[in-house]
Amino acid sequence: MKKPFPTNDPMPSVRDKIIGLGERSIRKSYYPQLQQQLADAEKARKKLAESQARYRSLVENINDVIFTLNVEGKVNYISPVIKSLCGLTPEQFIGRPFVEFVNADDQAALVASFERTLGGQSEQQEFRLTNEEGLVRFMHLSSRPLAEEGRVIGLNGIMSDITQRKLAEEELHRFRDELEQRVRERTAELEAANKELEAFAYSVSHDLRAPLRHIDGFLELLQKKAGSVLDDQSRHYMDTISESAQKMGLLINDLLAFSRMGRHAMKFQPVALGPLVRDVIRELEPDAAGREIEWCIGDFPAVRGDAAMLRMVLVNLISNAVKFTRPRQPAQIEIGSQPGPDSETVVFVRDNGVGFDMTYGDKLFGVFRRLHHADEFEGTGIGLAIVRRIINRHGGRTWAEGKVDHGATFYFSLPHTRHGDGDE
């Protein structure tokens, strides 16, 4: 009878040998590859962990607040910096509707913005963030839809604290309102003072006309009655009195004209400057009789203004050019226009006359300002003041350039458009 095969036989069976050979073959063929794959997986895991740590550090340490909401508008995540803004921890936000922390007056606009974001749009919105103690922070929100597998599951938001900017804007608005109020008050005071001054000038100049007429009238009677018995010196005295009375009459008339400038109702309409310039030149022909004057008239764009008052401006400027070129042979007078800054048209009158010293140029447009002696060139010193006042009422500017014995150029500007054109 044969003995049974012992189970603890140290010699491997044929089956075990075959299995052992297979394992060694597999281990030899695939183990290095498996080890490499495991090493790569571990390396990728470490990189992912490092990336997540960097992302978390970035999210938790930037000044802006990052948060996510679900489709119901409830907070899924909000970065810890929120506590420094409103005193509430992220845990107090999680699971609650975000609009609960928004000023009641801003909630409707923010909900509408969230709905547009959940509809697929990126949004920008400003609102006030609050807490239970009533602390208010002004925030600027940028939101984008959060999608998964092509379906919107919520939104991502980034909030920036703009409280300091908003407070500065409010302070600026208050300052601007106060400044505008002060300007209105000062303007009203100035207008009242100007009206009083105009009324005074009108009253004085008007009241002076009657005694001046008496002086001139009685002087004429005296010349007729006693002229034949007076000596030459006495007649010279009377002639001087007569000339002075006439000059005073001109001065009073100009002063009256200047005082009326503030009361004249402005009627703005399209004005063709070219025909107006030529009409003024024809009007001044008697003053230029017997003289050689070379006129150079340029082209002029259409402007808007009060035609009668612009005519007065041109009369004063062109007559000055005729007067102050009297010593020149030939006299040269150029009248033209050029584009100016700030949407305006600049008109100039240039001559080769006696000119003036630019040191005193700022005085030219003042009342009774004269840079030449009355015995050299006649005038009352009010014409340029009238020019400036008229152009100011048109919203324009006046200035002059010149050099002694080398002529002068007078400029005025007119805005291209004027708000509220019409009677004033």
Side-chain angles (χ1 to χ4, degrees), residues 18 20 24 29 36 53 69 80 83 112 144 156 181 198 221 261 289 309 315 362 393 417:
I18 293 173
R24 285 193 298 272
S29 300
Q36 184 61 46
L69 306 183
K83 189 174 188 303
R144 298 179 59 127
N156 288 322
Q181 179 62 29
E198 289 166 4
L221 291 175
M261 289 298 101
M309 299 189 79
V315 166
D362 59 334
R393 295 195 67 189
T417 59

Side-chain angles (χ1 to χ4, degrees), residues 1 14 27 54 67 83 85 125 147 149 230 334 365:
M1 183 174 180
V14 173
R27 189 181 300 116
R54 285 194 300 269
F67 66 94
K83 189 174 188 303
L85 294 179
Q125 189 71 27
E149 298 180 355
L230 294 176
E334 179 184 2
F365 294 91

Side-chain angles (χ1 to χ4, degrees), residues 32 39 46 97 109 118 156 255-256 295 351 396:
K46 288 182 178 180
L118 293 172
N156 288 322
L255 189 60
L256 277 171
W295 296 94
D351 64 66

Side-chain angles (χ1 to χ4, degrees), residues 131-163:
N131 65 8
E132 288 84 350
E133 286 74 33
L135 177 69
V136 176
R137 307 294 295 185
F138 291 89
M139 309 298 293
H140 176 271
L141 169 66
S142 298
S143 60
R144 298 179 59 127
L146 176 63
E148 185 178 277
E149 298 180 355
R151 181 173 59 91
V152 175
I153 61 171
L155 63 84
N156 288 322
I158 299 178
M159 294 189 299
S160 302
D161 184 6
I162 58 171
T163 303

Side-chain angles (χ1 to χ4, degrees), residues 355-358 360-361 363-364 369-373 376:
F356 61 89
D357 187 346
M358 284 291 289
Y360 308 102
K363 299 181 179 180
L364 285 173
R369 296 292 188 178
R370 296 178 54 87
L371 299 185
H372 302 279
H373 294 296
E376 293 180 290

Side-chain angles (χ1 to χ4, degrees), residues 332-363:
Q332 297 174 344
I333 300 175
E334 179 184 2
I335 309 168
S337 68
Q338 61 193 38
D342 302 325
S343 300
E344 61 183 9
T345 296
V346 174
V347 180
F348 62 88
V349 178
R350 180 177 293 119
D351 64 66
N352 66 336
V354 296
F356 61 89
D357 187 346
M358 284 291 289
T359 305
Y360 308 102
D362 59 334
K363 299 181 179 180

